[in-house]
Amino acid sequence: MRISSILKCALGILLAVSLADAASFSSYRDRDAGRFVLKPGKPFRPDKDVVTVVMREAIPRGGGYTYQYPRENPEPVLTDKYAMEGALSMEMELIASDYSGIAICIAGSVDLTPYLEEGVLEFWIKGEKGGENALFVLVDDGVKSNGESLQVKLRSKSLGEITTEWTRFSIPLKLFGNTGVYWDAKNTREVMLPFNWANFKGFRLEVRKDENESFKVWMDDIVIKKHGKAYEGPAYYPFRNEI
């Protein structure tokens, strides 16, 4: 009986110490709570449907880059003048009197072959004047074509109009087809080879010579998604999708 009383007393002391320690830890953890107001964090919006981000608030990190051609074409710039998603968009100005383009390339490459049937290229675009005529282009890493990135292209006006308001394009990947091309400068001709969908490298916007009086657009949130809206255009477009 006496031993039982001693055990109960000991357990009571331990419980009291534990409660005191818990209270003191809470006080220590929250010691600075009175110095500021804790704002609730913004909920994270998971986008599990995105395979890869080409441009969203920045050029691709970790080795991503942009380039333009010809060299005298203005470089693409991030700007807060307009933005559809977030705070920034990319301003892209092309030389309308020449064959010119701007590319945004990711670090490394991405295998898009699992998504060719249902995947889409998706982005927002806004024109300075509206009615701009361009080519939307995907490029591979050039590994299977002697270092020259192959391109698959679709004309913007076949898919919708670029206007002075933000317009969202969602383009099925399968529309781009399997035939890639690159410009062989040495022999001054286009070379056609199978596009390497297993090594997607980036997005390019380009114009043909004299198809626009001037050309400036802003683009935002360029991504590749696993799924997208079903295509509603001509039944057999593009007409050349195989070698």
Side-chain angles (χ1 to χ4, degrees):
M1 193 73 176
R2 186 175 178 183
I3 293 174
S4 177
S5 299
I6 293 172
L7 286 173
K8 286 181 180 179
C9 182
L11 288 171
I13 293 171
L14 286 172
L15 180 61
V17 170
S18 297
L19 290 174
D21 285 345
S24 62
F25 176 75
S26 295
S27 299
Y28 175 79
R29 181 187 60 189
D30 300 327
R31 68 192 185 283
D32 296 323
R35 298 183 182 181
F36 49 79
V37 177
L38 290 174
K39 296 181 180 179
K42 293 182 179 179
F44 175 67
R45 186 185 68 178
D47 201 344
K48 296 180 181 178
D49 205 34
V50 170
V51 180
T52 186
V53 174
V54 179
M55 177 264 161
R56 181 183 278 168
E57 293 296 286
I59 63 171
R61 296 186 177 91
Y65 58 91
T66 64
Y67 66 84
Q68 74 281 350
Y69 67 91
R71 289 184 178 180
E72 56 268 25
N73 196 93
E75 293 183 9
V77 294
L78 290 169
T79 176
D80 60 0
K81 182 177 181 180
Y82 302 112
M84 184 62 205
E85 302 278 354
L88 301 172
S89 65
M90 183 167 282
E91 183 177 294
M92 307 170 83
E93 183 175 359
L94 301 177
I95 300 173
S97 60
D98 200 351
Y99 295 91
S100 62
I102 286 172
I104 310 171
C105 295
I106 63 174
S109 61
V110 174
D111 184 1
L112 296 184
T113 52
Y115 315 110
L116 286 180
E117 279 303 310
E118 297 184 4
V120 296
L121 164 69
E122 192 170 280
F123 56 82
W124 292 89
I125 188 167
K126 170 185 172 68
E128 182 179 48
K129 295 183 177 180
E132 287 84 359
N133 191 2
L135 293 167
F136 301 141
V137 185
L138 302 181
V139 298
D140 69 17
D141 62 0
V143 167
K144 294 185 178 181
S145 47
N146 298 318
E148 295 287 347
S149 289
L150 289 164
Q151 311 137 37
V152 283
K153 310 179 182 187
L154 292 173
R155 186 168 287 276
S156 62
K157 287 186 177 291
S158 299
L159 302 160
E161 287 293 322
I162 299 173
T163 73
T164 55
E165 301 296 324
W166 283 110
T167 303
R168 189 179 192 175
F169 280 79
S170 185
I171 307 168
L173 296 180
K174 62 185 177 183
L175 287 189
F176 287 94
N178 294 317
T179 303
V181 299
Y182 74 89
W183 179 251
D184 183 348
K186 182 178 179 180
N187 297 300
T188 62
R189 66 185 181 93
E190 279 192 336
V191 177
M192 292 189 294
L193 290 170
F195 187 76
N196 190 2
W197 284 104
N199 290 85
F200 166 76
K201 186 64 180 175
F203 170 83
R204 195 159 91 185
L205 183 72
E206 63 182 50
V207 296
R208 299 280 172 81
K209 184 177 181 179
D210 296 329
E211 288 189 343
N212 299 272
E213 290 184 4
S214 62
F215 190 94
K216 182 186 285 188
V217 298
W218 292 265
M219 297 193 70
D220 203 356
D221 210 28
I222 307 170
V223 297
I224 301 290
K225 288 190 170 183
K226 299 176 185 178
H227 306 280
K229 185 179 178 182
Y231 178 59
E232 298 175 349
Y236 299 106
Y237 186 87
F239 303 105
R240 188 191 74 192
N241 63 352
E242 299 285 354
I243 291 180

